[in-house]
Amino acid sequence: MNEEIDFILDSTKEAMQAAIAHLEKKLLNIRAGKASPAMLGGVMVEYYGSPTPLNQVGNVTTPDARTITIQPFEKSLIPEIEKGIQIANLGFNPMNNGESVIINVPPLTEERRRELVKQAKAEAEDSKVGVRNDRKSANNEIKKLEKDGLSEDMAKNAELDIQELTDTFIKKIDDMFTIKEKEIMTV
């Protein structure tokens, strides 16, 4: 029975860590005023008839804090890259100089910063819901084991361990959100 409890705890911890990793990715895409190649992470470009991630059709660099440059591997892709950026609806207006696509990242207004904080908060809440769902399924697994003969004390201890894990991960999510909020609101 102990191995089964350990397995449940380990798989729950893995699932909760996946929620944290997902949140990290989502928070990276929320812009905090500085230009970053990660801002264009979700942009798809039409490449020979199939949608391809932007970073696979060109080099994405940030020469300074307000500019993103995309150097396509083929010059014929410049209009497709511009179109892909506009379709992604990131609020950027791409320009090109015939060689590469240049995006000037505008400074954030106070109103936009507040919207981004709301977006970050929503992502954090989604992650918390994920962690709580992981807790619920782990507790259900423990209840099944209890029906199969696990002692009540061991079941209670396992549930306490699961709750402890949940609390730890919820705190991590709150800390990540606080850091991101500070980053967004810093002018």
Side-chain angles (χ1 to χ4, degrees):
M1 285 291 176
N2 277 346
E3 298 94 41
E4 290 165 336
I5 291 174
D6 289 343
F7 176 76
I8 291 169
L9 288 172
D10 288 344
S11 59
T12 303
K13 188 174 184 178
E14 271 179 40
M16 290 179 178
Q17 283 169 333
I20 294 278
H22 179 75
L23 178 62
E24 282 173 347
K25 259 189 201 154
K26 287 292 191 179
L27 290 180
L28 263 182
N29 289 336
I30 297 176
R31 143 173 115 93
K34 286 192 313 231
S36 155
M39 297 162 111
L40 301 177
V43 175
M44 300 301 268
V45 176
E46 199 65 32
Y47 183 62
Y48 293 111
S50 62
T52 309
L54 177 63
N55 62 4
Q56 290 181 16
V57 296
N59 288 325
V60 182
T61 56
T62 50
D64 61 58
R66 293 260 174 251
T67 313
I68 301 174
T69 308
I70 301 111
Q71 183 73 46
F73 299 137
E74 297 173 29
K75 283 191 181 122
S76 62
L77 285 174
I78 289 177
E80 291 297 333
I81 290 173
E82 288 179 315
K83 191 169 138 193
I85 292 168
Q86 286 169 339
I87 290 171
N89 197 16
L90 300 169
F92 295 139
N93 192 13
M95 302 171 294
N96 79 67
N97 59 8
E99 298 283 320
S100 57
V101 177
I102 301 160
I103 298 172
N104 288 318
V105 179
L108 296 172
T109 62
E110 184 69 24
E111 184 182 333
R112 181 71 178 131
R113 286 179 194 278
R114 292 192 192 290
E115 284 174 29
L116 291 174
V117 168
K118 280 182 190 167
Q119 189 180 341
K121 183 138 185 85
E123 294 297 346
E125 286 304 318
D126 287 349
S127 294
K128 285 182 185 180
V129 167
V131 166
R132 290 183 188 120
N133 286 339
D134 296 335
R135 172 186 63 192
K136 183 180 178 190
S137 48
N139 283 338
N140 289 342
E141 292 292 318
I142 295 293
K143 282 183 178 39
K144 282 182 196 166
L145 283 180
E146 203 173 358
K147 284 180 185 167
D148 294 342
L150 180 69
S151 75
E152 204 175 305
D153 287 346
M154 286 177 86
K156 286 284 178 234
N157 287 341
E159 285 176 7
L160 285 173
D161 291 344
I162 291 166
Q163 185 57 48
E164 217 171 89
L165 262 181
T166 304
D167 294 343
T168 304
F169 280 96
I170 295 279
K171 185 179 179 343
K172 272 186 191 173
I173 290 169
D174 285 337
D175 293 346
M176 287 169 68
F177 168 70
T178 304
I179 291 167
K180 188 66 178 184
E181 181 181 31
K182 197 166 143 189
E183 193 181 305
I184 292 169
M185 293 312 283
T186 303
V187 180

